[in-house]
Amino acid sequence: MSVVKSPLSEQDRKIVGDALQGALVDLVDLSLVAKQVHWTVVGPRFRSVHLQLDDVVASARKHADTVAERASALGVAPDGRAETVAKTSGIDTVGGGWNKDTDAVRILVAALGAVITRMRERIRSTADPDPVTQDILIGLTGDLEKHHWMFQAENA
């Protein structure tokens, strides 16, 4: 049941809703992974990596809110619950314990790469049914690609 009526057809709402839900889950998990690594990073580049991780967390949280609110505006109830994120995220899990700075960078490069790949698929799938959602996904993917570049440069 949807209490908000969407301007999209039912078929388009399903496509766009799935894209937004997947984006939300990946962004929530990205923020959690980045924060976990932020808390456990050690090594000579601790401070720079630590601060860079907080930038990713802030960006992922901001974009998650935008994505969830877009879903709501289209009559799709967003689901960012821990259970849903754990079951459907495209990001590999992070082990416990400390992470050497070079490993922390590798973890973030891999996580960002996975999310970016899935976002690009969502960008393609929303092109026709909802260019407004596609625009949101394009913008946030650009931000994620910037973070991806910056983390890759850390271990170059």
Side-chain angles (χ1 to χ4, degrees), residues 23 26-28 30-31 55-64 67 91 108-109 111-120 122-123 136-152:
D26 282 351
L27 290 165
V28 168
L30 179 61
S31 72
D55 290 343
V56 173
V57 172
S59 182
R61 287 178 178 169
K62 177 186 88 172
H63 289 306
V67 163
I91 302 173
L108 258 290
V109 168
L112 285 161
V115 173
I116 290 165
T117 297
R118 289 166 52 111
M119 289 298 179
R120 287 187 161 273
R122 295 174 185 122
I123 288 168
I136 291 168
L137 296 174
I138 289 169
L140 73 87
T141 301
D143 285 350
L144 296 177
E145 288 176 345
K146 183 176 179 182
H147 290 301
H148 191 243
W149 156 58
M150 291 181 152
F151 271 103
Q152 287 181 78

Side-chain angles (χ1 to χ4, degrees), residues 37-150:
V37 175
H38 165 90
W39 292 325
T40 60
V41 65
V42 294
R45 294 178 305 159
F46 163 80
R47 183 161 172 72
S48 65
V49 173
H50 183 79
L51 294 173
Q52 196 173 351
L53 287 160
D54 261 349
D55 290 343
V56 173
V57 172
S59 182
R61 287 178 178 169
K62 177 186 88 172
H63 289 306
D65 192 53
T66 299
V67 163
E69 288 180 357
R70 178 66 183 159
S72 293
L74 296 176
V76 177
D79 186 355
R81 297 173 300 149
E83 176 184 8
T84 303
V85 172
K87 286 181 181 176
T88 60
S89 172
I91 302 173
D92 287 337
T93 59
V94 176
W98 301 107
N99 288 291
K100 188 167 173 13
D101 51 7
T102 54
D103 295 333
V105 169
R106 274 195 285 280
I107 290 166
L108 258 290
V109 168
L112 285 161
V115 173
I116 290 165
T117 297
R118 289 166 52 111
M119 289 298 179
R120 287 187 161 273
E121 292 167 7
R122 295 174 185 122
I123 288 168
R124 283 188 285 279
S125 74
T126 57
D128 289 329
D130 187 24
V132 175
T133 295
Q134 183 193 43
D135 186 57
I136 291 168
L137 296 174
I138 289 169
L140 73 87
T141 301
D143 285 350
L144 296 177
E145 288 176 345
K146 183 176 179 182
H147 290 301
H148 191 243
W149 156 58
M150 291 181 152

